[in-house]
Amino acid sequence: MDVDEEENMSSSSTDVKENRNLDNVSCKDGMGVGDQLPNGSGHGSRKRPLEEGNNGHTHSKFRAKKRKKTPGPVLPKNALMQLNEIKPGLQYKLLSQTGPVHAPVFVMTVEVNGQMFEGMGPTKKKAKLNAAEKALRSFVQFPNASEAHLAMGRTLTVNTDFTSDQADFPDMLFNGFETPAAPEESFYVGSNGTNSLGEYPLPTPPGSNLVQAPLPPSTAFSSPSTGKNPVMILNELRPGLKYDFVSESGESHAKNFVMSVTVDSQTFEGSGRNKKLAKARAAQAALSALFNMQLDQTPSRQPIPREGLQLHLPQVLADAVSRLVVDKFSELTDNFTSPHARRKVLAGVVMTTGTDVKEAQVICVSTGTKCINGEYMSDRGLALNDCHAEIIARRSLIRYLYTQLEFFLSNIKEDHHKSIFVPCDKGGYRLKDNVQFHLYISTSPCGDARIFSPHEAGVEDQGDRHPNRKARGQLRTKIESGEGTIPVRSSNTIQTWDGVLQGERLLTMSCSDKIARWNVVGIQGSLMSYFTEPIYFSSIILGSLYHADHLSRAMYQRIADIEDLPQQFTLNRPLLSGISNAEARQPGKAPNFSVNWTVGDQALEVINATTGKDDMGRPSRLCKHALYSRWVRLHTKLSSILRIKVPKPSSYHEAKQAAMEYHSAKKALIKAFHKAGLGAWVKKPIEQDQFTLSS
């Protein structure tokens, strides 16, 4: 079988597997203990007399006495085991055998990163051990394997080139151990004099006068001893600390506890699915801030910082955004007791307006995992085509942006200041300084981000080991009325209105692909481009299945070579992060409804994902028709300061097409996907956009 065939097989086998039950079940034969024993007795069955070796006697004296195992000390791993953890699959070769028969001397060699290491010993095993020790000493300045892993996490970059053929650790990784980089200096902002959860280490924005807190020098603490959890380490440094229970929240299958600890007059909080984990995370936060110690350095679980100004510490921001969205959903569903609390995926957008996450505001929340059935498509813009949670969250955010622009319709100047927008000198509006939007999704978005991330990243997970496979980065489409995605066809797929109505499957681009598009053209859409500059997400935070390599590739890395973007458009690289307390997998069948709420709404709106309308057949407040009617009102009243000066369009389609720069950016995106060999973007039938408000 040649490489191409193998690639095609591996790609097809991953076509529709994102939403299957992919629990990390250990692979066992299914043969129980009872099947293996000669007398058929298993753990769950009644004791039976021994039939072999005791002449049929049933008296207890003929039974072998069970010895209780006494727990002994955990034996340290030898150099061979440690090296195998760091570099699995090494080949040891016998170089020579000398000496007399009764006292032989063996020389074994092993090649690590292109360098040969020799070991001698009276047996091959001891010679191998000697070679492994030399190899370890050459690049690891730590007494055990776990600390070597720790250092690896600190030096391994997650911004890998996904077309590279390199699957193992680069040579520079090990050289980096010998001269550890000094930790970055941190700055602290305090609003009330104490470094509580609301105040975080921050880079210094230009022109600001933040006070630099003294940091302890980097010591051996940055490589903690094996086997000690953060609570134990912190207790050795500051004995007698008291941990306080702060709160309990979350759905029954995904409880979240918050614990706090006060160290050196500073309070640190940690959250987890149980109190023990929450205590450990609080201790870790204290160790990180006060002693510059990082215990979890698995590369694939590390946040990828955003380019440019960082207003928040990544992990603290991610955990805060996640908690805000889940708490808001809890509030809207009567503490998850409402029938509409049932969901597979939850998404939401949080807005921050400064450096304090405590002032963050939840803008919208949504759920859903299904798309419209083709026969229910609307040619008047009255049905929602895609009810996946993150897509609905973005439509809800657009609705919020229209509300903010409508403040400028008022004749009272004070109302204008309530908006998150400010007028631009050259026409149109832009967001106020420091206004940022953060997208939270409870699991990785369907398509390229999720297809290769079916499980949580483990400690041994050092990133994508096969970044150059053909299936990586491919454009994918959702399945009509179902879950999962399939790769796009190699040739351009043209969907027709009559074809879909006659039963041809309606294809919708995956969420991974749509979010990648938002990272180029912005989240505001073509119509709002008349009023505002492009708006981008500052961060994308996942509640589960976060893998740094896969998510960064899906969100922007695969189109890194995009060219000819119009002025003001860019390839946005938002902060990417998982959360400390990964959400449990949602078992069971996905509900057929999607809910949405935007700030200012009284209650959730419930939409039937199959029809794209509510159960009474009424259109959603997020449908194209509803948003277009708000756009027409704004376009009429604010025509004098628009960014795009064209005569009033006669239809929804005409209004979208007049946003020339937006469509140039979109063409550059489609060209970048095509140039990278990742497939052709599939468009919906044009007829669904050719409506007017009077139609």
Side-chain angles (χ1 to χ4, degrees):
M1 184 185 291
D2 63 28
V3 177
D4 284 344
E5 287 175 326
E6 191 177 336
E7 288 296 341
N8 291 337
M9 283 182 68
S10 71
S11 143
S12 63
S13 67
T14 57
D15 278 356
V16 197
K17 72 178 184 183
E18 290 123 308
N19 287 303
R20 286 189 194 160
N21 184 351
L22 289 170
D23 277 341
N24 199 359
V25 181
S26 59
C27 193
K28 295 183 180 174
D29 289 335
M31 181 186 283
V33 177
D35 297 328
Q36 296 166 10
L37 296 176
N39 63 0
S41 64
H43 286 298
S45 61
R46 195 164 44 86
K47 288 186 180 177
R48 293 173 55 186
L50 298 176
E51 293 169 5
E52 293 180 27
N54 65 351
N55 297 326
H57 291 296
T58 60
H59 198 272
S60 61
K61 72 177 180 181
F62 293 101
R63 292 184 183 279
K65 287 185 179 177
K66 289 183 180 176
R67 289 185 181 177
K68 286 186 179 177
K69 287 186 179 178
T70 53
V74 179
L75 296 174
K77 294 176 181 177
N78 65 31
L80 209 59
M81 296 162 72
Q82 293 182 32
L83 184 61
N84 189 54
E85 281 187 9
I86 298 169
K87 296 286 289 179
L90 292 174
Q91 298 292 319
Y92 292 82
K93 295 176 183 174
L94 177 64
L95 186 64
S96 66
Q97 178 183 344
T98 56
V101 178
H102 66 278
V105 177
F106 296 92
V107 179
M108 300 291 290
T109 64
V110 63
E111 184 179 343
V112 183
N113 296 322
Q115 192 175 347
M116 298 296 292
F117 299 94
E118 292 183 8
M120 294 171 60
T123 64
K124 289 181 183 178
K125 186 175 180 181
K126 287 184 179 176
K128 280 173 68 175
L129 193 63
N130 200 330
E133 284 174 357
K134 286 183 179 177
L136 273 175
R137 268 199 297 271
S138 74
F139 57 73
V140 180
Q141 305 295 316
F142 303 97
N144 55 53
S146 62
E147 294 182 13
H149 277 302
L150 195 66
M152 241 179 282
R154 192 165 281 124
T155 54
L156 184 67
T157 176
V158 285
N159 292 324
T160 52
D161 174 11
F162 81 94
T163 59
S164 163
D165 213 359
Q166 184 89 9
D168 264 324
F169 304 123
D171 292 346
M172 51 72 67
L173 182 64
F174 298 102
N175 302 339
F177 289 163
E178 293 170 19
T179 52
E184 291 182 10
E185 293 178 326
S186 295
F187 295 84
Y188 288 78
V189 172
S191 59
N192 55 7
T194 63
N195 271 344
S196 61
L197 185 66
E199 291 74 57
Y200 316 104
L202 306 167
T204 316
S208 65
N209 49 2
L210 302 176
V211 182
Q212 183 182 351
L215 267 181
S218 183
T219 66
F221 286 129
S222 58
S223 299
S225 307
T226 309
K228 291 183 180 177
N229 65 38
V231 176
M232 294 165 68
I233 296 168
L234 186 60
N235 191 55
E236 287 179 5
L237 299 167
R238 297 287 188 274
L241 294 174
K242 183 173 177 284
Y243 291 81
D244 296 313
F245 173 68
V246 178
S247 66
E248 175 186 345
S249 60
E251 297 155 88
S252 58
H253 62 270
K255 282 287 182 192
N256 188 57
F257 296 88
V258 180
M259 302 289 288
S260 71
V261 62
T262 302
V263 188
D264 297 348
S265 304
Q266 298 179 33
T267 302
F268 301 93
E269 290 188 357
S271 65
R273 61 175 62 89
N274 54 51
K275 290 180 182 177
K276 184 178 178 182
L277 194 56
K279 274 177 67 174
R281 298 233 168 95
Q284 172 58 68
L287 290 170
S288 176
L290 299 176
F291 303 102
N292 199 34
M293 291 171 62
Q294 301 293 334
L295 300 190
D296 181 9
Q297 290 290 306
T298 307
S300 51
R301 287 204 298 231
Q302 295 304 299
I304 302 179
R306 179 175 175 237
E307 290 188 343
L309 179 64
Q310 303 289 307
L311 290 179
H312 310 93
L313 194 65
Q315 196 61 65
V316 176
L317 172 71
D319 291 346
V321 165
S322 159
R323 200 180 310 162
L324 283 165
V325 172
V326 173
D327 287 351
K328 175 56 72 175
F329 187 60
S330 170
E331 178 191 320
L332 292 165
T333 56
D334 301 322
N335 200 23
F336 309 111
T337 58
S338 158
H340 299 121
R342 203 162 58 88
R343 52 91 180 180
K344 275 266 190 180
V345 181
L346 169 69
V349 175
V350 169
M351 179 176 72
T352 55
T353 52
T355 56
D356 194 344
V357 178
K358 284 183 175 177
E359 295 173 5
Q361 181 184 13
V362 180
I363 300 302
C364 55
V365 293
S366 57
T367 67
T369 57
K370 303 275 181 77
C371 290
I372 194 171
N373 190 311
E375 65 184 280
Y376 292 104
M377 276 196 315
S378 170
D379 58 357
R380 292 189 294 148
L382 299 175
L384 293 175
N385 290 326
D386 189 341
C387 282
H388 281 233
E390 48 271 67
I391 309 304
I392 294 297
R394 181 250 181 180
R395 293 192 75 81
S396 299
L397 175 59
I398 290 176
R399 189 165 159 253
Y400 169 76
L401 295 178
Y402 276 125
T403 303
Q404 294 299 306
L405 283 172
E406 283 162 358
F407 279 117
F408 291 98
L409 298 179
S410 170
N411 294 324
I412 305 166
K413 282 285 183 188
E414 285 70 27
D415 288 347
H416 297 189
H417 297 302
K418 293 177 185 175
S419 176
I420 61 169
F421 289 106
V422 290
C424 288
D425 296 336
K426 296 178 182 177
Y429 302 89
R430 65 170 179 82
L431 290 176
K432 287 178 178 173
D433 292 339
N434 288 349
V435 170
Q436 293 187 349
F437 294 110
H438 311 276
L439 174 65
Y440 170 76
I441 317 169
S442 63
T443 189
S444 52
C446 68
D448 188 50
R450 191 191 305 168
I451 196 77
F452 305 107
S453 312
H455 308 294
E456 293 297 339
V459 175
E460 72 289 345
D461 191 341
Q462 297 293 338
D464 187 1
R465 286 191 169 275
H466 307 285
N468 61 319
R469 284 192 174 166
K470 284 183 182 177
R472 299 291 197 266
Q474 288 288 327
L475 289 171
R476 303 176 74 89
T477 59
K478 299 166 186 173
I479 296 173
E480 180 185 299
S481 301
E483 295 180 78
T485 60
I486 55 175
V488 296
R489 293 176 190 153
S490 52
S491 58
N492 276 18
T493 303
I494 298 173
Q495 301 193 90
T496 60
W497 184 263
D498 48 353
V500 171
L501 291 181
Q502 287 171 20
E504 195 176 296
R505 270 196 157 175
L506 180 66
L507 300 177
T508 303
M509 297 306 295
S510 74
C511 292
S512 291
D513 301 332
K514 288 188 175 184
I515 299 173
R517 184 175 75 180
W518 304 341
N519 278 329
V520 173
V521 300
I523 53 181
Q524 77 291 332
S526 55
L527 291 185
M528 193 160 279
S529 297
Y530 280 73
F531 306 107
T532 76
E533 297 175 352
I535 299 170
Y536 298 102
F537 280 125
S538 295
S539 60
I540 297 170
I541 293 151
L542 302 188
S544 62
L545 301 185
Y546 170 75
H547 286 246
D549 282 357
H550 296 309
L551 188 63
S552 60
R553 178 191 63 242
M555 297 297 95
Y556 53 76
Q557 206 66 42
R558 54 184 171 156
I559 46 172
D561 294 332
I562 192 167
E563 297 170 338
D564 304 324
L565 280 174
Q567 195 177 6
Q568 295 189 323
F569 288 90
T570 184
L571 176 57
N572 179 46
R573 290 177 167 87
L575 158 71
L576 303 177
S577 180
I579 61 173
S580 299
N581 183 29
E583 185 176 290
R585 192 182 67 84
Q586 305 290 321
K589 194 171 182 287
N592 205 38
F593 59 80
S594 163
V595 305
N596 69 79
W597 171 90
T598 310
V599 64
D601 291 340
Q602 295 299 308
L604 291 170
E605 177 183 64
V606 184
I607 296 298
N608 182 329
T610 303
T611 64
K613 299 179 181 179
D614 72 7
D615 283 335
M616 305 287 287
R618 294 171 299 198
S620 167
R621 54 197 179 193
L622 301 176
C623 71
K624 292 177 180 178
H625 194 281
L627 295 180
Y628 181 48
S629 61
R630 294 181 76 169
W631 179 86
V632 167
R633 181 171 174 242
L634 281 165
H635 184 269
T636 306
K637 297 284 182 70
L638 302 176
S639 56
S640 59
I641 54 168
L642 291 176
R643 295 176 73 245
I644 300 170
K645 301 276 200 278
V646 292
K648 187 177 177 181
S650 61
S651 71
Y652 178 76
H653 175 72
E654 195 178 303
K656 286 179 74 172
Q657 291 304 308
M660 301 295 290
E661 285 192 347
Y662 179 92
H663 284 283
S664 295
K666 193 173 171 182
K667 283 176 184 172
L669 167 82
I670 292 167
K671 186 180 174 184
F673 275 122
H674 183 73
K675 191 176 174 184
L678 301 176
W681 195 275
V682 180
K683 296 177 182 177
K684 293 274 194 324
I686 193 173
E687 288 85 352
Q688 69 167 3
D689 286 348
Q690 293 175 330
F691 64 88
T692 62
L693 289 182
S694 57
S695 62

